[in-house]
Amino acid sequence: MAGTHVAARWEDSFHRRLTPYLKSRGWRPRTIPYIGYGSESFLRVLGRVVMGRRIEAESHVDNAATAEELAEAVFTQRGWRSYITAPVGYIPVTVRIGDAEYRTRTDRSGYIDLEIRDHGLPPGWHDITIATRAARPETARVQVVGDDVRLGLVSDLDDTVMVTSVPRPFIAIWNTFVRHGSARRVVPGMAAMYDEVTAREPGAPTFYLSTGAWNIMPTLVQVLRAGGYPAGAMLMTDWGPTNTGWFRSGQEHKRSALRRLRKEFPNIRWVLVGDDGQHDPMIYREFATEHPENVAAIAIRLLTPGEQVLAHGTPVATIDTMWTPMTKGVPEVSGADGTELAPRLRRVLDGRQAPPSEA
């Protein structure tokens, strides 16, 4: 068995020294809850524990006004602040659902990823509690999808629902580390299209699948909320080194997430939404070829030539996107934004064939 990559060993060593130093400066663990999800038989609880200044770690939301103020503070802060974190690895965590308690520990990067069986929650949205040792308990939102639900939506984030110039060199650095989170611009018509899709079946879930880092998730939640997008779990990645290399594979992250969703919700047919600026068409078509029974439709936002240049350096879609064949039996539509995509997607979901110029 291969040993841990040198980058991960260096990172772990750095954090082992950093955490005691921050504690000596008055910092303490702080839990950041993420949106969780599950079915009537399982629940996946997500979050992260990092070191925070005492005033941050002891902040307590006593009313809705305070919560909005804190959210606005996250939304408008400079992007680089989200990446300057000191994760707390292997610390004990207790998840409370009603009177039941479930115990786990964070991983080496401070992440909480706990799967709970037979949780007893009915379909719908619920609040649960995540209690980390030496940190204030935090409330996390989770969505339980009913076993009778047969339709769901999976959406990319960057250049699909919002324009962030990620992973564009130089511009990505500017947007991520310098500009405020509020500078992100939502794509016209996409939120209304998502609402229309999920309204087709009560309880239909929405998942946001991105190669972006978990660090910016609080900002993205505010962007989506301000843009009117439906609430849903975000499946992100960690931007640091892994046990096997310096960086994670964004494409493999998306493939693995889609396979996991299929395993967790075998009876759901997904509407897969992405853009042609990177690898979404290829990944979605591959998944649809392997599991056509689990894909209701593919919808691709077409980037402008200028956006294509910023995305990967050429004014046309990438080679793999252009040459990956469409999947027989799975409808695919494309358009410049949600305003163009919505009627085309509506036609195929209603069982009406889209004209050749729309697919």
Side-chain angles (χ1 to χ4, degrees), residues 14-313:
F14 175 75
H15 288 150
R16 282 196 300 270
R17 290 166 173 77
L18 178 62
T19 299
Y21 170 76
L22 293 177
K23 284 183 178 179
S24 70
R25 304 284 293 181
W27 291 42
R28 59 185 296 177
R30 178 169 61 95
T31 305
I32 304 173
Y34 300 149
I35 298 175
Y37 69 91
S39 69
E40 295 181 48
S41 60
F42 83 94
L43 190 69
R44 188 181 182 189
V45 180
L46 301 168
R48 197 182 193 192
V49 180
V50 300
M51 296 297 291
R53 292 185 179 86
R54 182 176 297 275
I55 188 172
E56 297 174 351
E58 293 183 350
S59 296
H60 183 64
V61 177
D62 295 317
N63 52 60
T66 305
E68 291 298 327
E69 291 170 2
L70 292 175
E72 182 66 19
V74 172
F75 186 46
T76 58
Q77 71 180 5
R78 294 290 182 182
W80 65 268
R81 293 181 182 274
S82 300
Y83 286 84
I84 309 302
T85 57
V88 184
Y90 310 112
I91 191 171
V93 175
T94 300
V95 175
R96 299 192 184 104
I97 304 176
D99 296 328
E101 293 187 348
Y102 306 87
R103 290 177 171 80
T104 186
R105 288 178 179 270
T106 59
D107 68 7
R108 54 174 289 271
S109 298
Y111 290 103
I112 302 165
D113 190 348
L114 173 64
E115 185 171 309
I116 298 171
R117 292 285 171 178
D118 302 319
H119 50 77
L121 295 174
W125 286 92
H126 303 275
D127 290 335
I128 64 174
T129 301
I130 302 178
T132 303
R133 190 178 66 183
R136 277 192 177 277
E138 297 289 345
T139 299
R141 293 285 284 167
V142 295
Q143 182 184 22
V144 176
V145 181
D147 291 342
D148 59 341
V149 174
R150 295 294 181 268
L151 183 69
L153 187 147
V154 174
S155 172
D156 177 46
L157 282 171
D158 304 322
D159 292 325
T160 300
V161 302
M162 65 185 75
V163 178
T164 57
S165 302
V166 175
R168 306 161 186 180
F170 307 117
I171 296 179
I173 295 174
W174 172 259
N175 281 346
T176 301
F177 292 97
V178 181
R179 297 183 72 182
H180 291 107
S182 57
R184 291 173 169 85
R185 176 172 56 86
V186 298
V187 177
M190 296 298 282
M193 186 182 81
Y194 288 12
D195 284 339
E196 181 179 335
V197 171
T198 55
R200 287 176 170 267
E201 185 163 356
T206 300
F207 289 89
Y208 297 98
L209 176 56
S210 172
T211 57
W214 285 105
N215 306 63
I216 60 173
M217 197 209 70
T219 297
L220 296 179
V221 168
Q222 294 303 316
V223 174
L224 294 176
R225 183 181 301 170
Y229 286 93
M234 291 188 179
L235 306 177
M236 314 285 284
T237 60
D238 186 13
W239 77 303
T242 70
N243 288 332
T244 58
W246 288 96
F247 303 104
R248 286 163 172 75
S249 168
Q251 295 181 48
E252 188 54 39
H253 163 66
K254 288 192 172 184
R255 291 189 179 99
S256 298
L258 288 172
R259 295 189 194 106
R260 177 166 183 165
L261 287 176
R262 176 186 174 272
K263 182 178 179 181
E264 293 171 332
F265 304 101
N267 297 321
I268 288 183
R269 298 175 70 233
W270 300 99
V271 175
L272 306 177
V273 187
D275 64 83
D276 68 343
Q278 291 292 325
H279 306 284
D280 289 343
M282 177 185 69
I283 294 170
Y284 289 166
R285 291 168 187 168
E286 288 177 352
F287 180 76
T289 300
E290 295 173 5
H291 310 288
E293 72 281 2
N294 293 112
V295 181
I298 296 173
I300 299 297
R301 177 185 175 242
L302 303 177
L303 272 60
T304 65
E307 290 173 330
Q308 293 283 6
V309 170
L310 292 174
H312 51 79

